[in-house]
Amino acid sequence: MLTLDAKPYPFVFSPAHTALLVIDMQRDFLLPNGFGEIQGGSLEAVQASISPVKKLLGSCRQARLPIFHTREGHKPDLSDCPSSKLIRQNGSPENAQYLKVIGDTGGMGRLLVRGEKGHDIADELQPLPGEIVIDKPGKGAFWNTALMDKLKAKAITHLIVCGVTTECCFATTLREANDRGFECCGIEEATAGYNDSFKCPTLDMIHWSEGLFGFIASLQPVVETLAPLASDDTTFGAGTPPQNLQAHYGGDLSISNLQSLYRKGLSPTIIVETIFENIEDYKHTDPAVWIHLETKALVMARAKEIEARWPDRTKLPPLYGVPFSVKDSIDVAGIPTTTACTPLARVPPKSSPSYDILLQEGAIFIGKTNLDQLATGLTGCRSPAGIPRSIFNHDYISGGSSSGSCVSVGAGLVTFSLATDTAGSGRIPAGFNGVVGYKPTRGLISCQGVTPACLSLDCIALIAGNVNDGRTIWDLCMSYDEDDRYSKTAAPVERHVNSTGPQAASFRFGIPPPESLAVCSPDYRRLFNDAVTRLQALGGHLTPIDWSPFEQAGKLLYDGTFVSERLASLPDDWLDKNRDHLHPVIREMFDAVKARHSTAVEAYRDLQAKALYTRQAEKVFAYSSSGVDVVVVPTAPTHWTVEEVLADPIAKNSALGVFSHCANVLDLCAVAVPAGTYPVPKSSGESSSGRLPFSITFLGGSRLDAETLEIARRFEEAIMGQQGVNL
């Protein structure tokens, strides 16, 4: 924690949870002939604020704090501009000053209209790659914007605030942030307004009554407080030989480590070289990870392309040089999407939106990974391209259907993978390979360009080495897609942030009852109990919940009519024509689905039951003292060998989803996190040496992804620092 001298008393903040918020440093408010001057404002003070804002911005960048910029303005058709804002001043009976209004043409284009020159941020303060720009239609930055979601996505609880104008947008936004629970500190020299006599009273009102709305500090103490956080960007130099890489790289492919190395001058081509060596070596361990692997020459060309595109190492995008894989049910333009099923193979003309976003942010695509055929299965044993194995023990299943994705991350071949999750297929294999598997709330990441498994339940899943990496990818990919019928638009009721006091460290969680946990193997049951104890030590309050809606919703997926949706995206005669191309277990499952002869009446009953269970689950996550923040479950009930699954493929597969199915049916978010290891059972014979992974999943309410991820991150941090976790 850092302490900053401020009014009314010192401002205490954690850099890991603090962001800089720069308000409206736009040409329209700062330069001649802009909206501010046309409205009669004096530019002297606001222009004088540019230099201190620039100094503050530089200090926060050096300290690697997240940076948010806001811009006030409206759509070109002014459909988002309230009539009162448009005409109030101009409509004054004695008006002789406000002769132009929003949308009229000024010296830098139409006034306060997005896309015009005047709307953009001043040249000296232009955002760098990775910094967030929030376009707001009002004076406050939270109204009708994604600011709250974006701050929560980065686990921000404290804000350093600067910008213009003090009496208007600066003060309005700071007060809005205060209402939402953020601890805010305004910087005196880095804010200004058009009427200098308003500045001191405005700032005094913020810290009045022992900090009613927040804190006010001076610029120099901020610079001095942040100075020790300035990153060491000592460069390797162009002559650093590749053989010295290990001393700096250490096999750590996390986003934060790679970004640090790249800022110091490391070339992405060296990482690519190392990755391809690792991939070739791992083929001897497991040849079934990849369905399509890009050539080394192509990937090297991509690495050189991003070096040329971003030559300034102080201005790198968030995923610069970060290698990733893609599950082969997700489209990459020009590369066949097979879904491990030859008759469905096609070469898409365009990529999925999430893939395109990743490339725009500097990521490097390595290849497409193996999966259970038609993304149908939780074992990883249903692909004609081979059976991927757990990275912990070759005799044990990798889990599925995102088998190759999780193995590629767990084996250190890539940093993260784009996968899918329809019934747990992004979480089960994550658990069996010691990585993080995150299923966002459906509709937050576009599912365009994904071959459907169950269209109404499918989600993009993110596989990563740690929670922070998964959260970073989610934050970048999260956007509304009007072409995705399940994409979400309207935000839910906002939940406040607990930034200080005991509430900031506490949370409420529920678990299934003992009779539901009885399906777990003894090792899993013991390790789950250990995880509950650790959560309580972190400040978690174990709270009784009604588990029945989760359990009943999970049964709908395969015991009811919903499984029929796996055939709904295929032509009516497709199964009969392509039976010989199907994996035997997939064929058996589809035959069983057809043999049910499910009726429309049964389907509607299941839909009604789903609605009931969803409403009941919402009560469990209620925004009240009776609700919980997360429900914690074992990711899977046990871990089987490949031999065990092949002997009883359908029953074993179904049993794996006992704790995962409900998340898709109820539209929850879910994060699977490693939670320890245990000795390989002696019954495994020759494979009984070594250890196997255990994982727990944090289930959160729909659109409560940020809150759920932060609790998962805290648990992960505790596990990583826990000595003796393997016992």
Side-chain angles (χ1 to χ4, degrees):
M1 301 293 283
L2 298 180
T3 301
L4 173 64
D5 188 29
K7 300 176 184 177
Y9 55 86
F11 179 66
V12 180
F13 64 99
S14 164
H17 299 284
T18 302
L20 174 66
L21 183 57
V22 185
I23 305 296
D24 296 0
M25 296 299 286
Q26 302 162 243
R27 299 187 184 105
D28 253 338
F29 294 128
L30 300 173
L31 301 184
N33 300 312
F35 183 76
E37 186 179 56
I38 289 173
Q39 296 294 296
S42 170
L43 297 183
E44 181 179 357
V46 294
Q47 289 186 344
S49 73
I50 294 176
S51 179
V53 169
K54 183 177 180 180
K55 184 176 182 179
L56 176 62
L57 189 57
S59 292
C60 290
R61 284 169 173 166
Q62 281 292 310
R64 303 298 170 199
L65 297 189
I67 311 292
F68 290 77
H69 304 260
T70 71
R71 301 184 298 195
E72 182 179 352
H74 297 276
K75 298 176 182 178
D77 62 4
L78 303 185
S79 59
D80 61 346
C81 183
S83 59
S84 60
K85 183 179 181 181
L86 191 64
I87 67 174
R88 181 188 297 123
Q89 294 163 300
N90 182 258
S92 172
E94 298 180 1
N95 173 48
Q97 174 180 330
Y98 302 101
L99 303 180
K100 288 189 176 183
V101 298
I102 295 169
D104 287 347
T105 301
M108 293 175 285
R110 296 177 65 201
L111 299 173
L112 288 192
V113 170
R114 296 175 189 175
E116 300 289 336
K117 181 179 179 180
H119 177 258
D120 204 6
I121 293 167
D123 293 345
E124 303 95 320
L125 307 172
Q126 279 287 307
L128 298 184
E131 295 178 358
I132 307 297
V133 178
I134 300 293
D135 283 322
K136 60 188 183 73
K139 298 172 179 65
F142 288 87
W143 155 245
N144 203 16
T145 74
L147 180 58
M148 184 71 167
D149 289 340
K150 289 296 183 181
L151 290 171
K152 281 188 173 183
K154 296 183 183 298
I156 300 301
T157 58
H158 290 62
L159 295 172
I160 297 171
V161 188
C162 65
V164 300
T165 62
T166 309
E167 64 273 12
C168 187
C169 298
F170 170 90
T172 303
T173 295
L174 194 146
R175 290 186 179 209
E176 284 185 338
N178 169 74
D179 280 344
R180 288 158 176 79
F182 294 98
E183 281 283 78
C184 302
C185 185
I187 309 305
E188 186 172 1
E189 298 91 334
T191 182
Y194 296 131
N195 188 325
D196 202 43
S197 65
F198 291 165
K199 179 175 177 176
C200 284
T202 300
L203 298 183
D204 286 346
M205 281 191 287
I206 289 171
H207 69 78
W208 174 76
S209 188
E210 301 303 320
L212 181 62
F213 299 110
F215 299 79
I216 298 296
S218 297
L219 176 59
Q220 191 56 34
V222 180
V223 173
E224 293 171 0
T225 300
L226 293 178
L229 299 179
S231 58
D232 177 14
D233 286 337
T234 303
T235 61
F236 295 142
T240 302
Q243 59 265 32
N244 291 345
L245 169 64
Q246 194 66 27
H248 304 286
Y249 162 52
D252 181 0
L253 283 177
S254 67
I255 294 174
S256 61
N257 187 54
L258 289 180
Q259 287 286 289
S260 176
L261 293 173
Y262 290 143
R263 285 194 302 269
K264 294 176 180 179
L266 186 71
S267 170
T269 60
I270 296 180
I271 295 296
V272 169
E273 186 76 43
T274 304
I275 282 173
F276 270 86
E277 291 176 3
N278 294 342
I279 288 173
E280 288 304 313
D281 287 345
Y282 201 74
K283 285 180 180 178
H284 300 295
T285 300
D286 191 342
V289 178
W290 304 93
I291 285 182
H292 167 84
L293 191 63
E294 290 280 78
T295 65
K296 183 178 175 181
L298 276 176
V299 179
M300 277 292 188
R302 166 65 178 166
K304 293 175 181 177
E305 173 193 329
I306 67 169
E307 281 191 294
R309 183 177 176 185
W310 291 287
D312 187 343
R313 293 302 180 93
T314 67
K315 300 178 180 179
L316 299 180
L319 299 181
Y320 178 90
V322 176
F324 73 103
S325 62
V326 175
K327 184 177 181 178
D328 195 23
S329 59
I330 301 173
D331 287 348
V332 174
I335 297 175
T337 300
T338 72
T339 322
C341 184
T342 303
L344 281 184
R346 57 190 176 79
V347 179
K350 64 178 184 178
S351 302
S352 69
S354 50
Y355 174 88
D356 285 338
I357 290 170
L358 297 174
L359 290 195
Q360 291 164 12
E361 298 294 344
I364 297 178
F365 170 62
I366 302 299
K368 303 192 78 175
T369 55
N370 198 0
L371 69 158
D372 281 328
Q373 190 178 62
L374 300 178
T376 300
L378 294 175
T379 64
C381 299
R382 299 178 175 182
S383 173
I387 299 177
R389 309 298 181 107
S390 169
I391 67 164
F392 283 77
N393 190 302
H394 190 264
D395 289 344
Y396 280 76
I397 62 172
S398 64
S401 63
S402 304
S403 50
S405 288
C406 293
V407 172
S408 70
V409 175
L413 310 181
V414 293
T415 300
F416 69 92
S417 186
L418 274 188
T420 66
D421 191 310
T422 304
S425 52
R427 291 162 279 149
I428 300 294
F432 291 162
N433 290 281
V435 296
V436 171
Y438 167 39
K439 183 204 90 66
T441 300
R442 185 181 70 246
L444 295 188
I445 298 178
S446 174
C447 256
Q448 285 290 100
V450 175
T451 302
C454 286
L455 187 62
S456 68
L457 302 178
D458 293 337
C459 300
I460 289 282
L462 306 174
I463 312 303
N466 59 71
V467 174
N468 274 339
D469 282 1
R471 180 160 57 188
T472 296
I473 305 305
W474 167 65
D475 188 22
L476 293 170
C477 291
M478 179 173 50
S479 63
Y480 172 68
D481 181 359
E482 64 182 11
D483 294 324
D484 178 357
R485 71 192 76 181
Y486 292 107
S487 190
K488 285 185 169 60
T489 51
V493 174
E494 291 181 348
R495 297 197 178 194
H496 67 269
V497 169
N498 285 318
S499 55
T500 61
Q503 297 91 336
S506 65
F507 58 92
R508 295 163 64 89
F509 72 101
I511 63 174
E515 58 270 24
S516 296
L517 292 168
V519 299
C520 295
S521 68
D523 285 317
Y524 271 42
R525 190 71 179 90
R526 174 179 59 84
L527 287 167
F528 184 71
N529 288 341
D530 291 346
V532 170
T533 300
R534 289 193 181 93
L535 287 167
Q536 291 174 310
L538 283 175
H541 299 282
L542 182 58
T543 305
I545 62 166
D546 179 8
W547 174 248
S548 61
F550 301 89
E551 186 171 52
Q552 294 304 317
K555 292 178 180 178
L556 284 175
L557 198 54
Y558 286 105
D559 294 350
T561 59
F562 288 179
V563 69
S564 300
E565 191 177 9
R566 290 192 177 266
L567 291 174
S569 297
L570 301 171
D572 289 340
D573 59 351
W574 188 90
L575 180 58
D576 293 333
K577 289 182 177 180
N578 296 283
R579 295 179 58 81
D580 293 342
H581 295 283
L582 293 179
H583 188 279
V585 178
I586 301 291
R587 184 168 59 240
E588 182 181 350
M589 190 204 78
F590 279 173
D591 285 343
V593 172
K594 290 189 69 176
R596 290 185 184 185
H597 300 293
S598 297
T599 66
V601 170
E602 292 171 327
Y604 274 110
R605 285 175 179 159
D606 284 349
L607 287 171
Q608 291 166 0
K610 174 187 174 183
L612 173 63
Y613 302 146
T614 300
R615 184 53 48 85
Q616 291 172 342
E618 288 172 355
K619 294 179 181 178
V620 174
F621 297 108
Y623 188 23
S624 69
S625 60
S626 64
V628 298
D629 297 291
V630 290
V631 173
V632 182
V633 298
T635 299
T638 191
H639 194 172
W640 284 302
T641 65
V642 172
E643 183 179 356
E644 287 174 316
V645 169
L646 294 181
D648 191 8
I650 292 181
K652 288 287 193 287
N653 184 88
S654 180
L656 281 180
V658 64
F659 300 116
S660 68
H661 291 165
C662 63
N664 301 81
V665 176
L666 299 175
D667 194 23
L668 307 177
C669 60
V671 191
V673 180
T677 62
Y678 62 98
V680 174
K682 289 184 171 51
S683 59
S684 299
E686 293 181 3
S687 66
S688 60
S689 62
R691 305 185 74 84
L692 291 171
F694 173 70
S695 168
I696 63 173
T697 291
F698 295 84
L699 299 172
S702 183
R703 303 293 287 272
L704 296 179
D705 298 61
E707 292 87 342
T708 304
L709 283 163
E710 179 57 13
I711 294 172
R713 184 204 62 79
R714 289 178 58 194
F715 175 80
E716 176 189 65
E717 184 178 65
I719 283 289
M720 295 296 289
Q722 179 80 30
Q723 297 299 317
V725 71
N726 292 336
L727 299 179

